[in-house]
Amino acid sequence: MDTVLDNPTRTFIEVTEIWVPKDGRLVLDSGSYGTLDGFAAASGEESFALGEGLPGKAWAEARPVVLKGFEGSYFKRTEAAAAAGLTSAVAVPVFAGDELRAVLVVLCGDDANRTGAVEVWEEKDGLLMLDDGYYGAAKHFEWVSQHTHFPKGQGLPGGVWSANTPMLMRDLGSGYRFIRAESAGAAGLTTGLGLPIPVPGGKSFVLTLLSARGTPIARRFEIWDARKAKVGHANEAVLVDGICAREGPLWSDETERRVSAWKGLIGKVLGSGLPVLESGAPGLAAGYDSMVALPIFHGSELAHIVAWYC
């Protein structure tokens, strides 16, 4: 049952955007900017060609891209970002086969208390290595991550890579399955979401979002499987895992949840095959300000939908 949630003091991610291709450029489909009206206005006037700016670079290189400093870089909204206190960003392309459907961009600020992680892992020589990531104040955890690699099936990134499915992991600081548990516990990291990022050419990338209690990435996570619909129930997705900081687990064998195409926000992703970002919308569950739902494809077929709520 949805309940009104206590608002956290601040979130790890300040801004979330969805850019979609239109007439050979990426244009803004939707964004969640909080109180950053100036950056929202600058973004609404922007568009990106292939290879241009951060969204265009993720499109051109067909891979997730981390940018941990804007000044002097290819980032196009540097002045507006500086005025808004934004310092880092990650762009994640959404491909269905060879077709780019959208680019998800998240932007973060930096201070002494903001803790969490947005990581991109890439397969190299049969292991997953950290391509790059943003960690806020979790500097020791960042160092540990830079010196950690994962074979298939090991840890959260390796588990996602092996199964080729999104995964949720709880109690990061004490869970034996989380390889970096000791440093995660010291950093206050509690919940991990890992998801495969399919791209053309067969390269393997995994995105991990690691949330801390004080500055959470999200307060609720959901994983929907679009392949589990029963015979006669095409265009349905099943909630196979979920967790909320206030509500606890959102799914069990006794409370299976289903959604049909175009029914609600998850159903909109299922029907369209496009990401959905809602901010302050009536369709959001009670107590949440924004929601991101990201489709994950196997080839050209929609396989999973991953959602997080703030």
Side-chain angles (χ1 to χ4, degrees), residues 95-135:
F95 280 97
D98 293 334
E99 178 191 357
L100 181 79
R101 294 291 181 91
V103 176
L104 168 74
V105 176
V106 298
L107 298 104
C108 303
D110 197 9
D111 59 49
N113 300 313
R114 193 184 304 265
T115 298
V118 182
E119 304 175 313
V120 174
W121 299 85
E122 180 181 5
E123 186 272 327
K124 294 179 181 178
D125 300 324
L127 296 170
L128 274 186
M129 314 290 288
L130 183 69
D131 179 66
D132 210 344
Y134 174 66
Y135 297 85

Side-chain angles (χ1 to χ4, degrees), residues 184-253:
L189 300 172
T190 58
T191 305
L193 172 66
L195 49 155
I197 305 298
V199 297
K203 288 186 177 180
S204 295
F205 292 96
V206 172
L207 177 72
T208 49
L209 306 177
L210 308 180
S211 193
R213 213 169 259 112
T215 52
I217 284 177
R219 292 178 287 156
R220 172 170 167 165
F221 296 94
E222 298 173 348
I223 296 175
W224 297 79
D225 194 327
R227 307 166 303 171
K228 283 184 174 277
K230 296 178 181 177
V231 176
H233 292 271
N235 294 321
E236 283 194 348
V238 177
L239 180 66
V240 293
D241 204 356
I243 193 168
C244 176
R246 179 73 170 268
E247 299 167 64
L250 301 176
W251 169 86
S252 71
D253 290 336

Side-chain angles (χ1 to χ4, degrees), residues 69-212:
F70 300 149
E71 193 65 38
S73 76
Y74 51 82
F75 194 78
K76 290 184 65 178
R77 296 168 284 167
T78 300
E79 187 175 335
L86 301 170
T87 58
S88 302
V90 181
V92 181
V94 178
F95 280 97
D98 293 334
E99 178 191 357
L100 181 79
R101 294 291 181 91
V103 176
L104 168 74
V105 176
V106 298
L107 298 104
C108 303
D110 197 9
D111 59 49
N113 300 313
R114 193 184 304 265
T115 298
V118 182
E119 304 175 313
V120 174
W121 299 85
E122 180 181 5
E123 186 272 327
K124 294 179 181 178
D125 300 324
L127 296 170
L128 274 186
M129 314 290 288
L130 183 69
D131 179 66
D132 210 344
Y134 174 66
Y135 297 85
K139 300 304 182 186
H140 178 68
F141 184 78
E142 178 176 9
W143 183 89
V144 170
S145 301
Q146 291 169 343
H147 294 82
T148 303
H149 56 263
F150 296 94
K152 275 194 173 183
Q154 187 178 66
L156 178 59
V160 171
W161 182 26
S162 177
N164 198 26
T165 61
M167 293 177 61
L168 271 171
M169 195 169 281
R170 288 93 164 150
D171 302 321
L172 298 185
S174 57
Y176 69 93
R177 293 176 58 209
F178 193 74
I179 305 303
R180 298 167 285 166
E182 183 176 352
S183 55
L189 300 172
T190 58
T191 305
L193 172 66
L195 49 155
I197 305 298
V199 297
K203 288 186 177 180
S204 295
F205 292 96
V206 172
L207 177 72
T208 49
L209 306 177
L210 308 180
S211 193

